[in-house]
């Protein structure tokens, strides 16, 4: 079960509870799911009970207990636990990670695309400023991932005015220039300096591009060892770092939706950094060590690494930044 499918499952649970008279609320248009927070458990969590508590005039834990059995009816769900002030913590049945990895590999760089802005025209009126124009350029592609269409104009009144760069970023070169302007939040002043060119882990752009290059190198090295990925194999979450990579992949579609809605490409950039850091912590578990023979677990880990590489390449492309195979 993918995050999108789980979101629909929770939404259907709300609808069933309303239809049966168990909850007197309006069924929301959508339900968000994400990784469990502190004190949570399972694979995903939802705050839908907290959202509905006021309208239902019931405590959030009580609303969550009403929804719990409806969610557990889905064969893709193994267990639902209510924690804290009313969070629904959902443990998926077997095959969850394979389903997510398979979805990423099947959809390629279109993974995370949706229809939340379907049919909508987003008008971006920007000043004649390098950063504003760069942000608008990235937003044209990001809005398109959600089914919308963005048009950029230099017109008043301006509705997209990120804090300008303190100096000309062009000397950094195309990729580092764009990262320097897109990675900070629009209300933050971007740093323009040679640190964006450093080939070391202190540079977030380097980490993202290096992690992508590592996923490609892992595929080449696996081929040299005579094996390829298996995206149908359930991931062993005990594998070092595997869970972090899975969570990062699951969060990527949400980051795209927020970036399109809030006109904030920095959300995509920051999610790429999270994904890259997860990959760099996981990469050492992908290939067999020493005389170890490639196993089904190695094939599953390779599939996960390749899926992460796909997300990194897709996200960089949306920002207008290249994703080299070698670095």
């Amino acid at each position: 079960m993918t995050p999108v499918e789980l979101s629909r499952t929770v939404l259907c649970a709300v609808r069933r509870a309303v239809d049966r008279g168990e909850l007197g609320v309006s069924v929301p248009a959508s339900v968000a799911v994400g990784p469990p927070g502190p004190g949570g458990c399972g694979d995903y969590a939802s705050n839908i009970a907290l959202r509905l508590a006021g309208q239902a005039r019931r405590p959030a834990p009580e609303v969550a207990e009403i929804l719990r059995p409806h969610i557990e009816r889905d064969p893709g769900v193994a267990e639902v636990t209510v924690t804290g002030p009313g969070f629904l913590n959902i443990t998926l049945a077997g095959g969850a990670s394979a389903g997510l990895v398979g979805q990423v590999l099947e959809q390629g760089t279109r993974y995370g695309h949706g229809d939340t802005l379907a049919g909508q025209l987003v008008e971006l009126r920007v000043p004649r400023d390098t950063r504003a124009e760069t942000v608008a350029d990235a937003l044209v592609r990001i809005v398109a991932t959600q089914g919308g269409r963005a048009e950029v104009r230099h017109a008043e009144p301006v509705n997209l005015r990120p804090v300008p760069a303190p100096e000309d970023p062009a000397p950094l070169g195309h990729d580092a220039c764009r990262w320097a302007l897109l990675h900070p939040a629009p209300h933050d002043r971007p740093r323009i300096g040679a640190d964006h060119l450093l080939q070391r882990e202190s540079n977030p752009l380097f980490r993202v591009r290096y992690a992508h290059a590592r996923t490609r190198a892992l595929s080449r090295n696996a081929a040299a060892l005579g094996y390829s990925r298996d995206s149908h194999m359930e991931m062993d979450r005990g594998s070092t770092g595997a869970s972090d990579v899975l969570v990062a992949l699951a969060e990527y579609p949400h980051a795209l939706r927020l970036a399109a809605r809030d006109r904030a490409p920095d959300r995509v950039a920051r999610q790429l950094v999270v994904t890259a850091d997860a990959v760099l912590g996981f990469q050492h578990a992908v290939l067999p060590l020493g005389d170890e023979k490639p196993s089904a677990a190695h094939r599953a880990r390779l599939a996960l690494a390749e899926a992460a590489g796909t997300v990194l390449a897709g996200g960089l492309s949306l920002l207008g930044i290249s994703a080299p195979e070698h670095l």
Side-chain angles (χ1 to χ4, degrees):
M1 179 180 289
T2 67
V4 172
E5 292 169 339
L6 180 58
S7 176
R8 291 175 184 152
T9 294
V10 177
L11 188 60
C12 287
V14 175
R15 188 173 291 113
R16 281 196 297 269
V18 170
D19 290 344
R20 294 187 177 190
E22 297 169 344
L23 283 178
V25 299
S26 298
V27 179
S30 62
V31 173
V33 297
C41 58
D43 298 300
Y44 295 98
S46 175
N47 67 348
I48 186 61
L50 284 79
R51 285 176 54 192
L52 298 177
Q55 191 182 159
R57 297 183 178 180
R58 296 188 182 201
E62 186 176 325
V63 174
E65 287 295 345
I66 291 172
L67 296 176
R68 184 175 58 79
H70 293 294
I71 298 172
E72 288 182 332
R73 287 177 49 184
D74 191 293
V77 174
E79 183 181 13
V80 179
T81 304
V82 178
T83 62
F87 289 103
L88 286 158
N89 293 258
I90 304 167
T91 301
L92 300 181
S97 67
L100 175 59
V101 171
Q103 181 186 19
V104 176
L105 293 173
E106 179 182 352
Q107 296 181 4
T109 55
R110 289 190 58 80
Y111 170 68
H113 291 208
D115 58 2
T116 57
L117 297 179
Q120 295 187 34
L121 173 62
V122 178
E123 189 177 87
L124 303 173
R125 299 188 299 274
V126 303
R128 294 188 182 278
D129 168 76
T130 299
R131 190 183 186 200
E133 292 169 344
T134 302
V135 169
D137 175 72
L139 284 174
V140 169
R141 288 184 290 275
I142 292 171
V143 167
T145 69
Q146 303 306 306
R149 181 168 63 90
E151 290 186 353
V152 183
R153 295 197 302 158
H154 293 97
E156 296 289 345
V158 167
N159 64 5
L160 182 68
R161 192 193 295 272
V163 175
E167 56 187 282
D168 181 11
L172 294 175
H174 181 271
D175 288 340
C177 171
R178 293 186 68 87
W179 183 267
L181 298 177
L182 295 172
H183 180 244
H187 58 269
D188 291 334
R189 183 174 296 276
R191 292 181 301 100
I192 306 300
D195 53 332
H196 291 294
L197 302 175
L198 295 177
Q199 303 290 292
R200 61 181 62 168
E201 291 191 0
S202 60
N203 177 5
L205 174 59
F206 171 74
R207 295 207 305 277
V208 171
R209 299 174 86 205
Y210 178 63
H212 171 263
R214 285 299 303 148
T215 64
R216 298 303 183 242
L218 290 170
S219 297
R220 293 192 298 270
N221 293 339
L225 292 173
Y227 77 98
S228 59
R229 73 190 188 206
D230 182 357
S231 59
H232 301 291
M233 175 74 182
E234 175 69 4
M235 179 60 55
D236 175 11
R237 290 182 180 245
S239 298
T240 303
S243 181
D244 291 339
V245 180
L246 287 165
V247 168
L249 296 185
E251 290 177 333
Y252 180 70
H254 185 55
L256 282 186
R257 288 192 294 272
L258 292 180
R261 184 196 69 185
D262 299 340
R263 302 179 183 179
D266 60 290
R267 290 184 177 275
V268 176
R270 291 201 302 271
Q271 185 59 36
L272 293 180
V273 174
V274 170
T275 305
D277 289 345
V279 168
L280 295 176
F282 166 69
Q283 59 169 326
H284 305 292
V286 175
L287 299 177
L289 298 176
D291 296 330
E292 186 181 10
K293 296 290 181 66
S295 65
H298 291 114
R299 295 178 186 275
R301 294 171 198 162
L302 180 62
L304 178 58
E306 292 185 357
T310 297
V311 165
L312 291 170
L316 286 170
S317 177
L318 291 175
L319 300 179
I321 298 173
S322 64
E325 299 272 326
H326 302 269
L327 197 63

